[in-house]
Amino acid sequence: MNKEQVLDHLKSINYPGFSRDIVSFGMVKDVEINGDQVIVHLNISSQNEKKKQEVVDAVKKQLSGHFNTVNIELSAETNQQATAPVGDSPSVLGNVKHIIAIASGKGGVGKSTVAANLACAMVKQGQQVGLLDLDIYGPSLPIVLDLHDQPKMTQNKKLIPLEKFGMKVMSFGFISGNDTPVIWRGPLVSRMTEQFFRDVEWGNLDVMILDLPPGTGDIQLTLTQKLRMAGAVIVTTPQDMALSDVRKGADMFRKVNTPVLGVVENMSGLVIEGEVDTAVSTIQINGSQVQVNHAGKFSFIMDLFKKGGGEKESERLGVPLLGKIPLSEDIMSSTDAGTPLAAADPVSSLGQIYLDIAEKLLLSIQ
Ligand SMILES: Nc1ncnc2c1ncn2[C@@H]1O[C@H](COP(=O)(O)OP(=O)(O)OP(=O)(O)O)[C@@H](O)[C@H]1O
Ligand SMILES: [Mg+2]
């Protein structure tokens, strides 16, 4: 059996809890074959020892019929390991396994859109998901998810989150009308933020996604001090990538020992789609050759800014680039219509980008 055949065998092993195999995840770094012996070098950055062991066992089982000795070399190169929170900072959310904050240095870069789509994508991955809009002054979730109901209360005066697209959702936008329960009126922003955790009946969740307001202000600090967060994702646009915004955000989270799980470059390039005569097989756009399919359709992502900026910047900051999401009419119209693309059309190429980022995130916090 040669290296390629070994890799083919390993492609049948999915990472536990995922529909994706360990080879395409990039976890198989190398395969060495010496006669009857094979050494498989695995790189699994997950913190979950049980899952790592499951992968090791599956690899051994898969190859033991073909080699006398199967050795596994495990490594865990990772840009950033999850660190424990400072002191004994309490987790007010005992039954929520992982909290991920979606943050950005400045406003309007697409945090809420990314947060909603990633939450929907995680539901598709079989996770129990909560999505909490912490933008008290400009809540977006009522629009992004087309949700305008008033949450009901439990007997012990806890708010019951609304449900949509298979996840639990809460936003100040749901309770800011005249019918707002008294205990929710008037507290300071930091108290309000706490209340969203303490006085909401979240139940059991695998992941809670927080849609933060822009910047590095009070809410961000309250959160990082009060909660044990799995980490933060920083959303940026290509033109801000090189500015100090991303660095400021990353530094703030690091100072309070919250790992930065990665950067998402949003509005990165422009999707150009169209149709031409079916006799044409390629066309030229802006100096690039673009393939036309049998139905005469083509789709192309045009870079509007310097290519590769995201990669370079994320490397400089020492955080992974989780993905690039192009500027797209479909993303905007689906968000503005209250049906995030990752829920409306998860198999589309754009939907797939969100699923991919969600998968990477889930993997890094397991
Ligand atoms: N990839 C994209 N392609 C096209 N439009 C997008 C994309 N991402 C976001 N948008 C649009 O940009 C606008 C701003 O997005 P969004 O509200 O998610 O930003 P935000 O960072 O949460 O803003 P704020 O800082 O005000 O909370 C929305 O109209 C949204 O539909
Ligand atoms: Mg927002």
Side-chain angles (χ1 to χ4, degrees), residues 112 135 140 211:
S112 302
D135 201 339
S140 317
D211 179 10

Side-chain angles (χ1 to χ4, degrees), residues 107-113 135 214 266-267 325-328 331-332 336:
V109 297
K111 273 178 313 300
S112 302
T113 308
D135 201 339
N266 191 34
M267 309 189 189
I325 302 160
L327 194 61
S328 136
I331 292 178
M332 179 151 58
D336 295 350

Side-chain angles (χ1 to χ4, degrees), residues 236-254:
T236 181
T237 58
Q239 65 270 44
D240 296 323
M241 209 34 184
L243 299 180
S244 59
D245 280 354
V246 178
R247 162 145 292 180
K248 243 198 250 159
D251 285 349
M252 181 201 77
F253 284 112
R254 280 185 182 145

